[in-house]
Amino acid sequence: MTDRKGELAANLAKVENRIAAACAAAGRDRAEVTLIVVTKTYPASDVRILSELGVRHVAENRDQDAAPKAAACSDLPLTWHFVGQLQTNKVRSVVGYADLVQSVDRSKLVTALSKEAVRQEREVGCLIQVALDAGESRRGERGGVAPGGVEELADLVAKAPGLRLDGLMTVAPLTGEYAGRQQAAFERLMDLSTDLRRAHPAANMVSAGMSADLEEAVAAGATHVRVGTAVLGVRPRLG
Ligand SMILES: *Cc1c(COP(=O)(O)O)cnc(C)c1O
């Protein structure tokens, strides 16, 4: 085993223990929570090691980094999630490798993703990114639609050819009423998910929680946690 493989295996084991403990504390089955490893800023060689160690879901937030990495790893049995703010001029590239886009937050993006998914004959899973620090009309600083805009956007995704509405995603806000209150934020996301599933029962993914707050996300009911630093280490540059 290379040093890097040993390091990643040890980190993965720690994260696995945290998820298992959080599930046990919440009375949830471990199988209800899927780990997505956020590999942004780390090389394709790390993605390959993670795959060897049994990771099946990876996430990236910048197309410039993600596109070559996904190409270098196209032989691996991985599901690729795109979790960053997405400009429409990057949609063609992203649809080429992303199985899911977790950062859907405006109608223009839905239109662009749909058009490109149809053109490439791909089906793209979509999560609506919710900005819990946004006012009812505007978008959040780090992307995401305000809670009041979720229903309209979800209906749009559900009707769009080539797209599949899979659920909701959020990043715990740094400002506003939920600052420092991750669990309350994630519980709000769960309430929005309950509302969403009335109209769209299959859209049951709830993506919440990162290295620092995965326990709060699991306690609130998240189905997917997105963990970068705790598996790969502190990122060499801002990702
Ligand atoms: C980077 C990132 C993560 C992972 O964050 P860590 O704190 O490194 O675990 C999760 N979600 C999104 C949207 C990210 O950009």
Side-chain angles (χ1 to χ4, degrees):
M1 231 194 233
T2 63
D3 285 357
R4 186 58 172 158
K5 190 167 185 181
E7 186 183 348
L8 293 182
N11 290 346
L12 268 179
K14 278 185 219 152
V15 168
E16 177 52 39
N17 284 342
R18 286 175 61 189
I19 296 172
C23 285
R28 300 182 64 193
D29 193 70
R30 170 64 189 88
E32 290 174 31
V33 180
T34 300
L35 170 65
I36 302 170
V37 178
V38 183
T39 49
K40 63 188 183 195
T41 77
Y42 285 95
S45 56
D46 279 352
V47 177
R48 193 162 288 277
I49 293 170
L50 289 168
S51 177
E52 287 167 14
L53 292 170
V55 169
R56 290 295 169 262
H57 293 264
V58 293
E60 289 283 331
N61 75 333
R62 284 190 187 154
D63 178 60
Q64 306 89 292
D65 296 339
K69 219 182 286 185
C73 297
S74 62
D75 58 315
L76 303 175
L78 292 170
T79 296
W80 289 80
H81 299 250
F82 191 85
V83 299
Q85 290 191 46
L86 180 51
Q87 303 306 317
T88 49
N89 64 351
K90 302 284 194 229
V91 160
R92 176 163 294 195
S93 172
V94 168
V95 167
Y97 58 86
D99 301 291
L100 289 97
V101 174
Q102 298 204 3
S103 45
V104 175
D105 63 357
R106 59 201 192 279
S107 55
K108 208 178 136 195
L109 183 56
V110 175
T111 309
L113 284 167
S114 172
K115 190 177 158 211
E116 199 50 37
V118 168
R119 198 187 68 85
Q120 297 189 33
E121 298 181 14
R122 300 257 298 167
E123 184 181 57
V124 179
C126 293
L127 303 193
I128 308 296
Q129 182 179 348
V130 183
L132 293 168
D133 55 352
E136 283 305 298
S137 55
R138 65 179 185 90
R139 290 201 295 134
E141 297 297 325
R142 293 183 293 168
V145 65
V150 170
E151 187 180 349
E152 190 183 342
L153 205 53
D155 290 345
L156 202 61
V157 171
K159 281 187 306 200
L163 304 185
R164 185 184 67 237
L165 179 67
D166 282 342
L168 301 180
M169 180 272 239
T170 202
V171 178
L174 298 172
T175 59
E177 62 172 310
Y178 291 110
R181 301 172 58 226
Q182 287 93 333
Q183 191 156 336
F186 298 146
E187 282 166 2
R188 175 89 170 99
L189 187 72
M190 279 307 299
D191 289 343
L192 293 166
S193 169
T194 302
D195 292 344
L196 177 73
R197 280 175 285 137
R198 284 198 192 99
H200 305 283
N204 57 8
M205 280 179 65
V206 180
S207 174
M210 319 199 297
S211 294
D213 53 21
L214 71 88
E215 283 84 1
E216 286 85 352
V218 170
T223 63
H224 291 69
V225 292
R226 310 178 306 270
V227 179
T229 312
V231 172
L232 289 143
V234 175
R235 282 179 288 278
R237 58 185 165 85
L238 268 189

